[in-house]
Amino acid sequence: MNSIDQYFTTKREEHLEELKQFLSIPSISSLSEHKEDMKTAAAFLGDAMKKVGLENITINETGGHPAVTADWLHAEGKPTILVYGHYDVQPVDPLNLWDSEPFKPEIRDNILYARGSSDDKGQVFMHIKVIEALMQLKGELPVNVKFLIEGEEEIGSKNLPAFVEEHKDYLAADLVLISDTGLYAPGKPAVCYALRGLTGVQIDIRGAKGDLHSGLYGGGVQNPIHALADILTSFHNEHGTITVDGFYDNVVPLTDEERSAFRALNFDEEGIKEEIGVKELFGEKGYTYLEHTWARPTLEVNGVFGGFSGEGIKTVLPAEAGAKITCRLVPNQDPEEIVEKLRAHIAAHKPTGVEITVTDFDKGKPFITPMNHPLIQAAGRSYEKIYNTPTAYIRGGGSIPIVAAFDEILGTPVILMGFGLSSENFHAPNEHFHLENYDKGLRVISDYYYEVAAVDKDAL
Amino acid sequence: MNSIDQYFTTKREEHLEELKQFLSIPSISSLSEHKEDMKTAAAFLGDAMKKVGLENITINETGGHPAVTADWLHAEGKPTILVYGHYDVQPVDPLNLWDSEPFKPEIRDNILYARGSSDDKGQVFMHIKVIEALMQLKGELPVNVKFLIEGEEEIGSKNLPAFVEEHKDYLAADLVLISDTGLYAPGKPAVCYALRGLTGVQIDIRGAKGDLHSGLYGGGVQNPIHALADILTSFHNEHGTITVDGFYDNVVPLTDEERSAFRALNFDEEGIKEEIGVKELFGEKGYTYLEHTWARPTLEVNGVFGGFSGEGIKTVLPAEAGAKITCRLVPNQDPEEIVEKLRAHIAAHKPTGVEITVTDFDKGKPFITPMNHPLIQAAGRSYEKIYNTPTAYIRGGGSIPIVAAFDEILGTPVILMGFGLSSENFHAPNEHFHLENYDKGLRVISDYYYEVAAVDKDAL
């Protein structure tokens, strides 16, 4: 790797200048006045890809902002990596909280300040520069590569699943590689190999046809809020375990290896308590905080409503009450099945004297590439060589619908190999990217190409 | 009673003309532009009282609208009746829904239409005319009488408790007689001998210092809505019985006599279900609907709030949630004690991982004059003589703070002996008063004076 290392060192200033140009384009996908900027950013990306030796550069219309694709497919018999990322960014208000302008990138103390520096233009740019380095030094890549860089990630990737479905033959690969997440902590790299899915329902409970006077009718009629509380309470036992029949049926248990890996992180429970401002944590009995938030399904009430909530007192016996509920799902829970189980539970726990309506929300599947998958372990090795510390094998508690879509449509393992830090203000003023991780990341990704090339394609 | 009967028949037109004049004064207590009308109405009332032979007519300043007092205290050794009522009325909008003008009284089909005809000027007027009849026919009254007619009942009687407290020696009596309620049903008179009290608390539950992302933190932190649901559910068992420790301790059980009296009313459960639009009624096991709403205490959640309640989905783990709760109380529950018991219950059921704040609401005591009290039974007899049907002995599920104040400050039994009907649009357009009950009411009240005179004063 010495030559790679030297190449990036030599080209560093030139590369950062080019990245600054890329970051100067205000590619805010959510604001229609930036529609032309989105096209400019896509074109810039296409040019950058072409310059490094990628082929078949295409600015694809998607119905929304364009998606840029490119490839290099001359490593016969070798695995194919599909690199996914996004060139769109979040809005920048409130502008007065920025220390330098969001679209005038500045480096201060080896930190690059600009909207998109970390999320995700900076990380996309790294992948392009890895191609450049390998092509310049070797004249070829050790693996086949495809790029898919979209412009609508910050607005929910709404056109991408259809695009992936339509182009699934072209996008076929042995793995999807995404750098849009972060390290576990400064200096501590992380491979994220699983995300939770999402499903949910709204419960609407109806009692009388109108609000009633609690003096005249109170005590003789079911109160929809009481009925709602009974149902909400019935979802968990006192240990935080979900009591919906069959809810855990398809949950793949954490392996001993995973639990050890999580334990090895020595997660700072005192730190998280201070961060969010609670005196004690609480979760399903028998699991740690990291297991709770990464690898166990949840049933969370996101909102309740019913009756009078203004100031003071109003002695009403309300006609209706309701709640919004979402579940985070883990492999192999199926969102549709879970909704059916929720419906059955609610029906079985319906208190007397009220009518209940249950409405579904959007659904997203959970995703996992097993932690011991050779491509995950290879990613961990590449990190370790550069960071000189054991890689954290982590899961994500949130849901990135497009990741599950790759998993489902392409049937491809997904590797989340990010270089950001959670403190880098992704969606806030003063977004920044620590160039230490930019520099190390270029070397990690380069190494990973050779690691992937060394994996037996037939074993994938 | 023949001479009484004849007197009212002879004077009917003259009396109704005078009542119409009284009803023509727009004495709306809640609107400041009617401040002078309030004075006019009070003066009219004072004149009417003077004309019939009452003495010591006083228009008392109260800090708000005046209260009119008068008396006749020459029945030595006989009980004293304090007649309470109000000359203020509700606003009249929406005016376009009135078939005749609210302050131009009209009689159609023996029904008197005007704001205040039933609630409560019409009923106050009846008491004055009873004095007139007895004085004209006998030259004296069989009992001592005091009148207290206020002008702020429709705005919460806010100055009256202080007035009663200040004048408690002057207002001392053997009973307070109020005609501001209704018959049980058309043709079926009712004596209301008890009302429920009221107390309540707001519960505010705090989790993290701000709303959390349910993907990143969900499963590892207590959700304040879950905590709230657990607490709300803990207040009742599945039979609707309140499980707060000691909640029922001071409840005076219904007597067999009361339960029989309620059963004899053959309450129409199908009718109430249709009226309020529910398929089934629900209440504390072991009691009937009338017992639930009249004579059993309740704990009712009047409102809940927390998290996201807009359209669609928001995967938030909310930082706070809360509920407003009121209890209807029955004799001898004490509002202060009940709040302490609620606080203890909430503390004992506090789920882990959250902080709870409990705030009190205003409190009002329950009131009861025992059903078998001689003055209650006497009222029932007077009704029966005129209506020729058994009187209903009823309780009221609501709370009238001023009634409890009479009970408490004066230590006097209160008799609610009303002549309205619940269908008479008290607070709505086209308020009216069935003159059949005006006519019968004059005779019932007259008879009651003799019934009270016949009760042994020492037994009171």
Side-chain angles (χ1 to χ4, degrees), chain B residues 33-55:
Chain B
E33 66 257 40
H34 290 285
K35 200 167 183 336
E36 285 306 308
D37 296 318
M38 295 303 296
K39 289 184 183 168
T40 306
F44 184 100
L45 201 56
D47 290 346
M49 287 171 168
K50 183 160 191 147
K51 214 166 57 179
V52 301
L54 289 165
E55 302 170 351

Side-chain angles (χ1 to χ4, degrees), chain B residues 92-148:
Chain B
V92 295
D93 12 80
L95 204 54
N96 62 322
L97 295 184
W98 287 78
D99 294 328
S100 55
E101 288 187 35
F103 298 111
K104 289 198 176 157
E106 267 190 37
I107 297 171
R108 302 192 292 272
D109 290 335
N110 205 31
I111 297 171
L112 173 60
Y113 289 85
R115 172 58 87 226
S117 55
S118 173
D119 177 19
D120 182 41
K121 282 160 132 179
Q123 300 201 53
V124 164
F125 183 78
M126 287 160 66
H127 281 271
I128 296 171
K129 289 300 142 186
V130 165
I131 303 295
E132 177 187 310
L134 298 179
M135 292 293 283
Q136 289 293 323
L137 293 170
K138 320 271 176 177
E140 60 175 9
L141 302 177
V143 290
N144 300 294
V145 174
K146 296 174 179 176
F147 273 71
L148 168 60

Side-chain angles (χ1 to χ4, degrees), chain B residues 442-458:
Chain B
L442 290 167
R443 285 136 177 109
V444 170
I445 298 168
S446 302
D447 185 79
Y448 189 53
Y449 274 38
Y450 288 98
E451 284 279 358
V452 172
V455 169
D456 180 0
K457 189 171 165 14
D458 296 334

Side-chain angles (χ1 to χ4, degrees), chain B residues 1 58 60 146 228 250 256 260 273 302 345 351 410 442:
Chain B
M1 293 293 290
T58 312
N60 303 273
K146 296 174 179 176
L228 178 68
N250 298 318
D256 291 344
S260 309
K273 280 155 69 175
N302 308 116
H345 180 94
L410 300 179
L442 290 167

Side-chain angles (χ1 to χ4, degrees), chain A residues 335-353:
Chain A
E336 300 284 352
E337 261 180 52
I338 292 296
V339 165
E340 285 319 304
K341 286 169 180 172
L342 293 179
R343 286 180 176 276
H345 180 93
I346 295 163
H349 289 77
K350 187 185 104 53
T352 193

Side-chain angles (χ1 to χ4, degrees), chain B residues 104-354:
Chain B
K104 289 198 176 157
E106 267 190 37
I107 297 171
R108 302 192 292 272
D109 290 335
N110 205 31
I111 297 171
L112 173 60
Y113 289 85
R115 172 58 87 226
S117 55
S118 173
D119 177 19
D120 182 41
K121 282 160 132 179
Q123 300 201 53
V124 164
F125 183 78
M126 287 160 66
H127 281 271
I128 296 171
K129 289 300 142 186
V130 165
I131 303 295
E132 177 187 310
L134 298 179
M135 292 293 283
Q136 289 293 323
L137 293 170
K138 320 271 176 177
E140 60 175 9
L141 302 177
V143 290
N144 300 294
V145 174
K146 296 174 179 176
F147 273 71
L148 168 60
I149 311 297
E150 71 156 321
E152 297 189 289
E153 198 270 353
E154 302 292 3
I155 50 175
S157 300
K158 53 191 174 185
N159 291 298
L160 203 65
F163 181 85
V164 174
E165 183 67 48
E166 200 184 331
H167 298 84
K168 66 181 173 187
D169 292 337
Y170 171 68
L171 295 170
D174 294 291
L175 70 148
V176 178
L177 179 59
I178 304 177
S179 296
D180 193 19
T181 51
L183 304 184
Y184 178 71
K188 177 79 174 174
V191 180
C192 180
Y193 64 92
L195 293 171
R196 294 196 287 191
L198 186 71
T199 193
V201 295
Q202 175 159 332
I203 301 176
D204 287 288
I205 302 190
R206 181 95 216 169
K209 63 186 172 192
D211 286 353
L212 300 174
H213 187 291
S214 78
L216 300 184
Y217 301 93
V221 179
Q222 180 64 276
N223 180 325
I225 299 179
H226 299 186
L228 178 68
D230 285 356
I231 292 173
L232 298 185
T233 293
S234 76
F235 284 131
H236 295 89
N237 69 15
E238 71 273 30
H239 304 300
T241 305
I242 296 161
T243 51
V244 173
D245 201 32
F247 188 84
Y248 295 103
D249 276 1
N250 298 318
V251 172
V252 178
L254 279 160
T255 63
D256 291 344
E257 201 182 355
E258 288 180 284
R259 301 190 85 168
S260 309
F262 295 174
R263 257 198 307 279
L265 294 173
N266 288 316
F267 180 74
D268 176 14
E269 295 207 349
E270 291 307 313
I272 195 85
K273 280 155 69 175
E274 191 166 332
E275 176 195 328
I276 64 178
V278 297
K279 290 191 185 152
E280 34 186 352
L281 298 172
F282 177 73
E284 188 191 359
K285 199 174 174 178
Y287 296 90
T288 65
Y289 177 84
L290 286 185
E291 290 166 352
H292 288 144
T293 54
W294 286 354
R296 294 298 297 172
T298 66
L299 187 159
E300 208 74 65
V301 184
N302 308 116
V304 279
F305 46 90
F308 177 71
S309 59
E311 200 179 329
I313 190 174
K314 188 175 176 190
T315 53
V316 67
L317 198 169
E320 39 189 352
K324 289 167 187 282
I325 292 167
T326 50
C327 294
R328 297 285 171 175
L329 306 180
V330 300
N332 291 327
Q333 289 178 299
D334 179 74
E336 301 285 353
E337 261 182 53
I338 291 296
V339 165
E340 285 320 304
K341 287 170 180 173
L342 292 179
R343 286 180 175 276
H345 180 94
I346 294 163
H349 289 76
K350 185 185 105 53
T352 192
V354 290

Side-chain angles (χ1 to χ4, degrees), chain A residues 54-75:
Chain A
L54 288 165
E55 301 170 351
N56 299 311
I57 316 293
T58 312
I59 313 290
N60 302 274
E61 292 306 320
T62 62
H65 301 302
V68 184
T69 53
D71 59 57
W72 189 95
L73 302 172
H74 307 296

Side-chain angles (χ1 to χ4, degrees), chain B residues 345-361:
Chain B
H345 180 94
I346 294 163
H349 289 76
K350 185 185 105 53
T352 192
V354 290
E355 302 299 313
I356 302 184
T357 311
V358 177
T359 316
D360 296 16
F361 289 129

